[in-house]
Amino acid sequence: MDINLNSRNTFEVSRRRSAPEHLQQQQLEEPSSSSSSSSPQQQQPPSAQAAAAGPDQGDGAKRLGGIGGSSFAEFFTRNFFSKRTKELRPAVHSAPGWKLFGKVPPKENLQKDSRIIQQEYEARTGKVSKPVLQATRRRHFEFEPLSTTALILEDRPSNLPAKSVEEALRHRQEYDEMVAEAKKREIKDAHRRKKIMKERFKQEENIASAMVIWINEILPNWESMRSTRRVRELWWQGLPPSVRGKVWSLAVGNELNITPELYEIFLSRAKERWKSFGETGAENDTEDAGVSVADREASLELIKLDISRTFPSLYIFQKGGPYHDLLHSVLGAYTCYRPDVGYVQGMSFIAAVLILNLEEADAFIAFANLLNKPCQLAFFRVDHSMMLKYFAAFEVFFEENLPKLFHHFKTYNLSPDIYLIDWIFTLYSKSLPLDLACRVWDVFCRDGEEFLFRTGLGILRLYEDILLQMDFIHIAQFLTKLPEDITSEKLFTCIASIQMQNSNKKWAQVFASLMKDSKEGDKNHSPALKS
C-alpha cells in the first residue's frame, strides 16, 4: 500500500510509512485467516469482511472501502486518522514510538511516578526498601530559605535508590535545624535593625530640639552663654549640622583679622604662581626673602598630589569633583599667606572638613586661624622641641590613666610620635569616620588642644584589651588604621573616663611645667653660664 500524500503533518506520514505492520495486519489480512476466524462477521474489521467474500469480491471491497461510494477525503480520514487514533489508545506506555529522525516515546507516554520507578528498581535488583512515611514528606512551610537548603528534602534522581526511612528522617531533622537557625538570624537582624532605627530617630529628635536651642537662644547671646554649664553639656553631645560651621567659626575666632578681600588677594597670587609654574616648569621665586621661602611656596605643586588622597571614598575632592577646585583654592591661598609654613601633608583633610561646613572665604579664615594655634603651629612647622614637650605631657596622663598599657608600650619602646603625629596633623579626620571626627572637632573647639590628647587616650582605652595582646609591629599598624566600626557612643564614653589631672595639675599646668624645665635645662647647658 503506497500512498504519496503532500500532507503538512510529516510526522504522521512518517509514522505510517515506518510502521507498516499495524496497517497491513488490520487492513490487508489474508482471506484464509479471515474465513477461519471464529468471531462473527459483523464483529470483524471491514477489511476482513471484504476478504471473506472471495478474491474478486475482496478486491472490489478493498476498492469500495477505499474509494467507492465516498470521496477521497472520507477514505483518507477513515483509514488513516480516526481508526489509527483509536488503535493507538490501548498502547503500552513503555512501547517505543516513531519519529522522523529517531525512535522516541510517543506523546501519550507520561513521566513515571517515583513509586513506579522505585518498584521497577526493586524488581530489577531484588532490594526492597521501606516506603517513606507521609509525615516526613515536605509540605507547605511558613518559612523556607531562598537557597539550596531545602534540596536536602528532595527525592533522589530516578537512577539512584530511594532514601530509607532513617535517612529521610535525618534529612528532615537537619532541614528543620537549618530553618530554625535561619529564623533566629532573621529575628536577630530584625531586632538589630529596629534598635538602630530607634536610636537614629531618637538622635534626630535630639538634634532637632538642640538646633532650636542653638539658633534661638545660644547663638544670639554667644559671648554670655558660651561658657555656661548648659551650653557645655549641649556642646559635648555634638553640634547640630546646621549650626556646626557657625559655632566652629565663633569658637576658633579670627585673631589674625583675615577678611574675605584678603583671601581673594592671596588666591589670585596662588593662581599666578600656578600659571607661571605651568609655563616654566619650575618655581622661580625672587620676591620673597630667602631661598627657604621660595621652597615653601614651591609646595603649591604638592597640593595637587595630596588633594586626590583627601577623603577618597567621598569622590567629591578628587579631580572633577564638586569640591576639588574649592579645596585647591583654599590650600593654595594659605600657602601664599603663610610661606613660612607652606603646605604640609595633612592640611588637606582639615581644609576639607571646614569646606564641608562653611563657605569658601569663611573656611579659609577658620583654617588660617586654626593652624595658628600653638599646638598646630608646632606640628606643621615641625618644631621638634615643642613636639617633644607635647609628647611628654601626653605620656604623663597616659601613665596616670592607663598604667598597664603604658608599661606595655614601654616594653616595646613604642613612643607616642608613632601614632600621635598622624592624629594631630589631621585632627582625627583621617583616622576616624567623618561624622565621628566632626563630633571630636566640636569638643576640640570648646576645650582646645587638651581635648586632642584626651581623645587619643580615649582611643587607647577603648582598645586596651586588644593592644595588650599585640607586639610592636601590630600595635603600630592597628593605631595607624583604626577599625571602621568605631561608634561615637563607645568612644566618647571612654573619653569621658579619662581624667586630665595629674597630682592636682591639669593639662595646661603640666605642659607649662615641662616648658619651664626645658628652659632651665637650656640655661644650664648654655656656654655663657658655664664660663
Side-chain angles (χ1 to χ4, degrees):
M1 186 174 184
D2 189 9
I3 300 176
N4 294 325
L5 299 174
N6 294 326
S7 173
R8 286 178 295 179
N9 196 336
T10 58
F11 174 70
E12 293 294 339
V13 174
S14 62
R15 287 179 58 183
R16 283 187 237 103
R17 289 181 178 178
S18 60
E21 64 275 10
H22 297 290
L23 295 176
Q24 291 178 2
Q25 288 178 3
Q26 297 173 6
Q27 296 180 2
L28 301 175
E29 292 182 354
E30 294 295 331
S32 59
S33 61
S34 302
S35 59
S36 60
S37 176
S38 58
S39 59
Q41 188 174 0
Q42 60 271 15
Q43 295 179 358
Q44 295 179 355
S47 60
Q49 295 179 8
D56 298 334
Q57 295 178 0
D59 294 336
K62 292 176 187 177
R63 290 191 296 270
L64 290 173
I67 305 174
S70 61
S71 65
F72 178 78
E74 202 172 343
F75 162 78
F76 183 83
T77 305
R78 181 175 67 251
N79 288 283
F80 284 87
F81 279 59
S82 61
K83 189 164 184 171
R84 180 61 180 165
T85 305
K86 186 176 181 181
E87 291 175 356
L88 278 175
R89 287 177 184 171
V92 183
H93 288 296
S94 61
W98 292 85
K99 197 174 181 180
L100 184 61
F101 295 108
K103 203 172 184 180
V104 296
K107 293 182 179 179
E108 295 84 357
N109 189 14
L110 302 176
Q111 188 177 2
K112 294 182 180 180
D113 188 74
S114 60
R115 291 176 297 177
I116 298 176
I117 297 173
Q118 182 176 349
Q119 292 173 2
E120 291 179 357
Y121 173 78
E122 293 174 355
R124 186 170 64 254
T125 60
K127 298 180 180 180
V128 180
S129 60
K130 297 179 181 180
V132 180
L133 298 178
Q134 293 295 328
T136 63
R137 292 191 178 276
R138 188 163 47 147
R139 292 290 183 249
H140 298 289
F141 297 111
E142 296 179 358
F143 173 83
E144 284 196 20
L146 298 177
S147 65
T148 58
T149 305
L151 291 178
I152 194 173
L153 295 181
E154 296 292 342
D155 295 329
R156 290 198 180 98
S158 59
N159 60 332
L160 297 176
K163 296 179 182 179
S164 63
V165 178
E166 295 79 6
E167 186 177 10
L169 290 175
R170 187 177 73 253
H171 287 177
R172 175 56 188 235
Q173 183 180 1
E174 292 175 357
Y175 175 76
D176 291 340
E177 291 175 357
M178 287 186 284
V179 171
E181 288 295 327
K183 283 183 178 180
K184 289 181 181 178
R185 288 195 299 269
E186 286 290 333
I187 294 173
K188 186 177 180 180
D189 292 342
H191 284 309
R192 181 178 57 82
R193 289 192 297 267
K194 185 177 180 180
K195 183 180 179 181
I196 292 175
M197 292 300 296
K198 187 177 180 180
E199 292 177 353
R200 185 175 299 173
F201 289 147
K202 184 179 179 181
Q203 184 179 7
E204 290 178 355
E205 290 177 357
N206 294 335
I207 291 175
S209 59
M211 180 183 64
V212 174
I213 297 174
W214 279 97
I215 293 176
N216 297 333
E217 300 180 25
I218 301 175
L219 291 179
N221 306 289
W222 173 253
E223 294 298 333
S224 60
M225 294 189 66
R226 63 176 299 179
S227 300
T228 61
R229 184 176 180 179
R230 181 192 178 193
V231 172
R232 292 182 64 85
E233 289 178 354
L234 281 175
W235 216 329
W236 175 267
Q237 295 173 6
L239 297 173
S242 58
V243 300
R244 175 168 281 154
K246 181 65 174 178
V247 175
W248 285 358
S249 296
L250 293 173
V252 172
N254 189 10
E255 296 179 353
L256 300 175
N257 295 320
I258 302 175
T259 61
E261 292 76 16
L262 186 63
Y263 165 66
E264 293 296 335
I265 293 173
F266 286 106
L267 177 58
S268 61
R269 179 180 295 184
K271 290 180 178 179
E272 290 175 1
R273 293 189 180 279
W274 286 328
K275 185 177 180 181
S276 62
F277 188 88
E279 292 175 353
T280 61
E283 192 73 43
N284 299 320
D285 188 2
T286 57
E287 298 178 3
D288 298 298
V291 179
S292 60
V293 175
D295 293 338
R296 291 290 188 181
E297 290 201 320
S299 61
L300 285 172
E301 185 63 21
L302 300 178
I303 296 174
K304 298 180 180 179
L305 301 176
D306 209 23
I307 286 178
S308 61
R309 297 189 288 261
T310 304
F311 295 118
S313 60
L314 297 181
Y315 300 103
I316 58 176
F317 295 105
Q318 285 64 39
K319 190 172 183 179
Y323 292 106
H324 173 269
D325 295 338
L326 192 59
L327 179 59
H328 199 248
S329 299
V330 171
L331 294 175
Y334 179 79
T335 304
C336 293
Y337 173 71
R338 292 297 300 266
D340 58 321
V341 178
Y343 177 78
V344 181
Q345 284 189 345
M347 287 183 177
S348 61
F349 282 90
I350 299 176
V353 174
L354 292 171
I355 288 172
L356 290 174
N357 292 275
L358 292 166
E359 296 296 330
E360 182 177 355
D362 295 331
F364 175 79
I365 295 172
F367 180 72
N369 282 275
L370 186 60
L371 297 191
N372 198 50
K373 302 294 182 183
C375 181
Q376 279 65 48
L377 199 58
F379 275 81
F380 283 111
R381 296 183 70 173
V382 196
D383 189 340
H384 292 285
S385 61
M386 287 294 293
M387 292 172 66
L388 291 176
K389 294 179 181 64
Y390 279 108
F391 294 149
F394 174 80
E395 287 190 311
V396 169
F397 293 96
F398 186 6
E399 185 178 11
E400 181 73 21
N401 289 273
L402 304 168
K404 191 175 181 180
L405 186 61
F406 175 79
H407 291 294
H408 182 69
F409 278 24
K410 286 296 183 182
T411 303
Y412 289 104
N413 293 322
L414 190 69
S415 56
D417 60 288
I418 294 177
Y419 50 91
L420 270 183
I421 286 180
D422 192 44
W423 293 353
I424 301 300
F425 263 104
T426 62
L427 300 181
Y428 297 96
S429 56
K430 181 182 177 182
S431 305
L432 297 176
L434 184 57
D435 57 340
L436 181 53
C438 287
R439 187 174 173 186
V440 171
W441 278 45
D442 292 341
V443 188
F444 163 63
C445 292
R446 186 194 76 171
D447 296 345
E449 63 186 34
E450 173 187 336
F451 188 74
L452 294 178
F453 298 95
R454 190 180 180 186
T455 301
L457 293 174
I459 294 173
L460 296 178
R461 167 157 286 181
L462 179 61
Y463 297 108
E464 181 179 10
D465 296 336
I466 299 175
L467 295 172
L468 286 172
Q469 301 174 2
M470 294 181 177
D471 57 8
F472 180 91
I473 299 296
H474 291 90
I475 292 173
Q477 292 176 345
F478 183 86
L479 295 179
T480 301
K481 184 174 178 57
L482 296 173
E484 296 180 357
D485 59 348
I486 183 172
T487 60
S488 60
E489 290 76 13
K490 293 181 179 179
L491 178 58
F492 271 77
T493 301
C494 294
I495 294 174
S497 64
I498 299 296
Q499 300 296 323
M500 299 300 287
Q501 191 169 350
N502 176 260
S503 301
N504 296 325
K505 290 183 179 180
K506 296 183 178 181
W507 168 267
Q509 295 172 329
V510 170
F511 186 78
S513 63
L514 290 173
M515 290 289 293
K516 183 179 179 181
D517 295 339
S518 176
K519 290 180 180 179
E520 292 178 355
D522 293 340
K523 289 181 180 180
N524 293 332
H525 291 86
S526 174
L529 291 176
K530 288 182 180 180
S531 61

